Each structure stands twice: as C-alpha cells, then as structure tokens.
C-alpha cells in the first residue's frame, strides 16, 4: 500500500489499503499496525490512524501481540 500511496497519492493509497483489508481473508496484525503508524507519523492524520486501529480490534482484538502494540 505504500507504493500505491507514493505513486497515486494519499487518498488512493487509503482506498487501496481499505479494499485490500476487506477483500483479503489474510490481513496480518502487523500490516494493520504498520498502516496506523504510517497514518499517524507520516501523514499526520491521527483520526485515520484511530480508524485503522479500530478495524484491527474487530479482526485481531483477541490476539495478544496486537493488543500490546
């Protein structure tokens, strides 16, 4: 999703990431954490970071390493 963001822009990168998470049956918790950190530290968008983490809580909420991040 970082390549998509760099080549097509911020909005298209977010759309690509959301589509990838919804369509993929395999979305690792590391990917969710990485996307939230990109939103928070690179894009300076804490609201989007919070949304990404909330999505991760729905899919990985019982997985201890995700909760510790």
């Amino acid at each position: 999703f970082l390549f998509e963001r760099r080549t097509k822009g911020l909005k298209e990168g977010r759309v690509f990431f959301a589509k990838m998470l919804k369509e993929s049956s395999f979305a690792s918790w590391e990917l969710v954490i990485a996307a939230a950190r990109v939103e928070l530290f690179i894009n300076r968008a804490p609201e989007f970071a919070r949304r990404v983490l909330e999505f991760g809580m729905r899919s990985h909420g019982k997985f201890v390493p995700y909760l510790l991040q």
Side-chain angles (χ1 to χ4, degrees):
F1 76 96
L2 290 176
F3 177 76
E4 188 80 16
R5 183 182 150 274
R6 270 185 270 141
T7 58
K8 295 186 179 176
L10 181 62
K11 186 175 181 179
E12 288 80 9
R14 287 177 178 158
V15 169
F16 176 78
F17 177 73
K19 188 171 118 179
M20 180 182 64
L21 283 181
K22 289 178 184 176
E23 293 178 358
S24 175
S25 62
F26 179 76
S28 70
W29 65 273
E30 294 96 345
L31 182 63
V32 175
I33 295 292
R37 287 182 178 170
V38 165
E39 288 295 340
L40 184 61
F41 297 118
I42 295 175
N43 299 340
R44 304 281 186 220
E47 180 64 28
F48 284 102
R50 184 184 59 80
R51 289 182 192 171
V52 170
L53 290 173
E54 285 176 355
F55 175 81
M57 285 297 293
R58 287 193 299 266
S59 57
H60 304 292
K62 296 183 187 226
F63 192 60
V64 175
Y66 179 80
L67 297 173
L68 293 176
Q69 292 290 320

